[in-house]
């Protein structure tokens, strides 16, 4: 028996996606490379909150938002008919809370952490559970996986 997991039932192979990073101006990145940059922004914000480095959080929030917006465009290639489920617009209140709270003289860690966690839960987590395994399989299937 041979197993197949290509693009059957899907509009695109995620292993073929190429994105441009609006924060670093790097172009033609694979989805994996792009997600590493997005993760750098996310975890940089998370670490900045934990260590009380409000300047770091303020610096990283705009690039994090730009990267999420750019990722939305890639997601909409397949999810164009359901943007309310998978996009930044679903968590704009939390993004605005992050930005507003980071501007305070003494940002409250609990408010920042709650907003960042909500973005992770509502946008990142569901996609990772579904798409990361598929991406890895497609990457291997197409011979693009790291060896």
């Amino acid at each position: 028996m041979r197993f197949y997991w290509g693009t059957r039932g899907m509009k695109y192979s995620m292993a073929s996606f190429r994105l441009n990073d609006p924060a670093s101006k790097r172009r033609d990145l694979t989805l994996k490379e792009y997600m590493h940059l997005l993760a750098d922004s996310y975890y940089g914000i998370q670490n900045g909150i934990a260590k009380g480095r409000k300047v770091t959080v303020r610096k990283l929030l705009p690039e994090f938002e730009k990267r999420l917006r750019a990722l939305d465009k890639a997601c909409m290639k397949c999810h164009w008919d359901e943007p309310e489920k998978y996009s930044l617009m679903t968590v704009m209140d939390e993004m605005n809370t992050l930005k507003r709270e980071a501007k305070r003289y003494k940002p409250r860690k609990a408010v920042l952490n709650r907003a960042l966690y909500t973005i992770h839960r509502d946008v990142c987590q569901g996609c990772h559970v579904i798409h990361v395994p598929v991406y890895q399989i497609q990457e291997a299937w197409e011979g693009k996986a790291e060896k």
Side-chain angles (χ1 to χ4, degrees):
M1 172 182 246
R2 182 163 186 194
F3 293 94
Y4 172 82
W5 199 321
T7 58
R8 188 179 332 149
M10 299 168 64
K11 296 177 184 90
Y12 299 96
S13 165
M14 290 180 295
S16 69
F17 283 6
R18 294 292 177 269
L19 294 100
N20 298 327
D21 179 33
S24 69
K25 305 297 184 209
R26 292 176 57 193
R27 305 185 63 72
D28 201 38
L29 299 167
T30 65
L31 184 58
K32 183 187 291 185
E33 292 168 330
Y34 189 82
M35 295 307 287
H36 282 288
L37 292 174
L38 183 59
D40 287 346
S41 297
Y42 177 86
Y43 289 114
I45 292 167
Q46 190 177 54
N47 289 333
I49 293 168
K51 294 178 181 177
R53 295 185 178 152
K54 63 183 177 186
V55 174
T56 301
V57 173
R58 289 175 186 158
K59 180 184 165 225
L60 291 174
L61 275 172
E63 78 178 32
F64 179 59
E65 184 174 9
K66 285 179 189 176
R67 286 178 172 152
L68 278 177
R69 286 187 190 283
L71 184 61
D72 273 359
K73 291 177 186 172
C75 298
M76 290 305 120
K77 287 181 179 184
C78 297
H79 297 289
W80 57 269
D81 59 339
E82 46 196 3
E84 71 284 352
K85 292 184 181 175
Y86 307 104
S87 67
L88 179 60
M89 78 174 186
T90 63
V91 291
M92 274 314 294
D93 288 342
E94 287 78 9
M95 184 62 76
N96 290 332
T97 298
L98 272 173
K99 292 188 291 190
R100 192 171 45 253
E101 191 63 31
K103 288 179 184 176
R104 289 175 52 118
Y105 178 71
K106 282 190 161 191
R108 297 168 292 183
K109 285 185 179 184
V111 173
L112 291 169
N113 280 322
R114 187 174 36 244
L116 191 61
Y117 170 75
T118 301
I119 291 169
H120 179 269
R121 183 194 66 212
D122 293 354
V123 174
C124 309
Q125 192 171 15
C127 298
H128 280 226
V129 168
I130 304 244
H131 291 306
V132 170
V134 174
Y135 177 81
Q136 291 169 337
I137 292 166
Q138 288 176 343
E139 204 178 33
W141 190 263
E142 295 176 17
K144 297 176 184 177
E146 294 175 12
K147 296 179 182 177

